[in-house]
Amino acid sequence: RGGGRGGMQEVPSFGFVVRQLKKREMLPVIVFIFSRLQCDRAAEEAANERGSLVTEEEKVRLREKLGQFVAKHREVAQEDRLRLALKGIASHHAGLVPLWKSLVEELFQENLIKVVFATETLAAGINMPARSTVITALSKRTDQGIVSLTANELRQMCGRAGRRGKDTVGHAVIMRSRWEGAPEGFTLVTMPADPLTSKFSPTYGMVLNLLLRRPLEECRQIVENSFGGFLLMRRKKNEAANQGDEDSALADAMKAVEGVDREELKQLLKLTERLKSEQRLLQFLSAQAKATARSVFEDTLPYCAAGTPLRLAPVEGRDEADDQDAVLLDLAPDVSETISPFFICLTKSNLFRRITHTDVEELELDKVLAAS
């Protein structure tokens, strides 16, 4: 409900999401939330839902596992987290004790924990395969402010869905957030993967440690064999190839102008610059004329009689010229909430189109004036 970024949208509750996933047999699931506090709050919210995520047999196994943990690590056991775990729900983030996180990972692997609310750090390096993953937002807060997820970050989280040897398909779900909806999700999903970049950054300490243990030639080989060294060598090869192409093009250009009089060449350059300047002016005047025409269309279109010929802007993805020639039929119904009214017209190819004044390229104003 609502538009994209900039408009409030209806956001499903975590309880509703978990209930729907269970109904569609998409558990166990990892729900990614970009805040430790929100992970804990979401776990509490999901636990308040009616119905149980675990069977009676699984509850017995959970009590046994949790009882062993409490007996061995009583000092780190927390009552609220134990209560959630008995319902098959847990959170997982850097603010938790490592011993408890290890237990959550173990219980999740054994399919005793059904829902884990985790930060994005869980997407890399931890063995917690899930049938489904849920991404709750397409942006996150960082030290540089709120930034959008990259295509690679989204793929990393979606890649957690699907358990090897158990699932033939994994499910990745993108939730609506308050400021992001289907258009933003579609854009990010269809984006190509981000290029890999090297984080290799030699420091004085690293260089000294290498030289203490290895000869200089071996240290050089280690650096050249790194991913950063590979990218550097490839960039140098591309630059060398481009330089060769530029040198060749320059030699061809010099050869082409050998017999040309310098004064004529200067005159040609002046005329070329003048042509570019006049083309820019023409573009500006054309845009100004279109803006003026649209303003006129906005004022006159509501007073046009049915049957007034129009020339419409082409529809993206359609090449038929017949769709541009049309006649006005009537004002579209139910337009009281819009700033610019909609109109119904019939094209030459017998298609009805709903338009505004911005869709009109030409309007036979003489017929409008005659009708008035």
Side-chain angles (χ1 to χ4, degrees):
R1 188 178 295 175
R5 190 179 293 272
M8 293 286 287
Q9 298 190 22
E10 183 181 353
V11 181
S13 68
F14 291 111
F16 172 81
V17 171
V18 172
R19 190 167 65 250
Q20 294 302 314
L21 292 173
K22 181 185 177 184
K23 181 180 178 181
R24 289 165 173 77
E25 298 182 352
M26 292 167 63
L27 300 179
V29 61
I30 300 174
V31 183
F32 289 105
I33 303 176
F34 306 111
S35 163
R36 300 178 189 178
L37 179 61
Q38 292 303 322
C39 283
D40 295 335
R41 288 179 176 174
E44 289 286 353
E45 181 182 331
N48 291 331
E49 282 290 307
R50 292 180 179 178
S52 177
L53 299 178
V54 294
T55 64
E56 290 301 323
E57 181 183 347
E58 288 169 338
K59 282 183 181 179
V60 172
R61 293 176 59 195
L62 276 169
R63 287 193 182 97
E64 180 183 348
K65 293 275 188 180
L66 294 173
Q68 292 173 359
F69 179 82
V70 172
K72 194 174 180 180
H73 307 289
R74 184 177 298 275
E75 66 281 0
V76 297
Q78 297 180 359
E79 185 64 32
D80 55 341
R81 300 196 185 280
L82 293 171
R83 174 178 52 81
L84 292 174
L86 278 173
K87 294 185 176 183
I89 299 172
S91 54
H92 187 292
H93 52 73
L96 299 175
V97 178
L99 286 171
W100 176 256
K101 288 197 294 182
S102 297
L103 177 65
V104 170
E105 294 164 17
E106 178 185 338
L107 296 177
F108 192 79
Q109 291 170 21
E110 295 181 13
N111 200 24
L112 296 177
I113 293 291
K114 307 294 183 179
V115 182
V116 169
F117 294 91
T119 53
E120 75 272 23
T121 53
L122 183 62
I126 297 178
N127 183 24
M128 285 183 63
R131 178 173 292 178
S132 308
T133 58
V134 174
I135 294 89
T136 58
L138 298 178
S139 58
K140 60 181 180 178
R141 187 181 297 277
T142 66
D143 294 337
Q144 288 75 42
I146 297 176
V147 298
S148 297
L149 295 182
T150 65
N152 283 4
E153 288 173 332
L154 181 66
R155 282 172 168 79
Q156 185 77 37
M157 289 184 281
C158 292
R160 280 290 172 181
R163 299 167 295 180
R164 181 178 298 176
K166 293 184 179 181
D167 302 319
T168 56
V169 62
H171 304 276
V173 179
I174 299 178
M175 280 179 60
R176 262 180 300 187
S177 69
R178 295 177 64 194
W179 308 110
E180 297 151 338
E184 292 79 14
F186 176 81
T187 299
L188 190 56
V189 167
T190 55
M191 283 176 62
D194 304 316
L196 293 176
T197 57
S198 173
K199 299 298 183 182
F200 180 63
S201 180
T203 62
Y204 289 112
M206 187 196 77
V207 172
L208 291 174
N209 284 330
L210 280 175
L211 292 174
L212 282 172
R213 294 172 173 81
R214 304 172 187 270
L216 177 60
E217 212 39 56
E218 190 175 342
C219 294
R220 189 193 306 275
Q221 191 69 28
I222 291 174
V223 173
E224 290 177 352
N225 288 341
S226 69
F227 183 58
F230 164 76
L231 291 178
L232 179 62
M233 293 301 296
R234 188 172 68 173
R235 186 165 66 247
K236 285 184 176 180
K237 287 181 181 178
N238 291 338
E239 288 175 354
N242 292 336
Q243 184 64 41
D245 293 341
E246 291 173 2
D247 293 342
S248 176
L250 180 60
D252 292 341
M254 294 297 293
K255 187 176 180 180
V257 299
E258 278 182 357
V260 179
D261 182 72
R262 287 186 174 275
E263 292 300 321
E264 291 182 358
L265 188 59
K266 289 180 180 179
Q267 186 67 18
L268 175 62
L269 291 175
K270 286 182 180 179
L271 291 174
T272 302
E273 288 300 320
R274 182 177 176 182
L275 176 62
K276 289 180 180 179
S277 176
E278 292 186 354
Q279 286 175 337
R280 288 194 295 268
L281 179 60
L282 179 62
Q283 288 179 347
F284 172 77
L285 292 175
S286 177
Q288 194 175 48
K290 286 182 179 179
T292 302
R294 284 177 178 170
S295 177
V296 172
F297 297 156
E298 183 178 15
D299 294 335
T300 57
L301 204 56
Y303 303 101
C304 291
T308 301
L310 306 171
R311 179 72 175 174
L312 304 180
V315 179
E316 187 176 354
R318 294 179 62 91
D319 299 327
E320 290 83 350
D322 289 347
D323 287 345
Q324 293 184 256
D325 294 321
V327 292
L328 184 67
L329 296 182
D330 201 357
L331 188 70
D334 300 328
V335 294
S336 57
E337 296 182 1
T338 60
I339 297 175
S340 298
F342 287 99
F343 302 88
I344 302 297
C345 64
L346 180 66
T347 67
K348 192 175 181 181
S349 55
N350 286 329
L351 292 176
F352 290 101
R353 280 185 61 180
R354 191 178 73 162
I355 65 168
T356 67
H357 70 278
T358 59
D359 298 311
V360 179
E361 285 189 345
E362 295 178 20
L363 173 64
E364 296 191 19
L365 292 175
D366 53 341
K367 295 190 178 183
V368 178
L369 295 173
S372 60

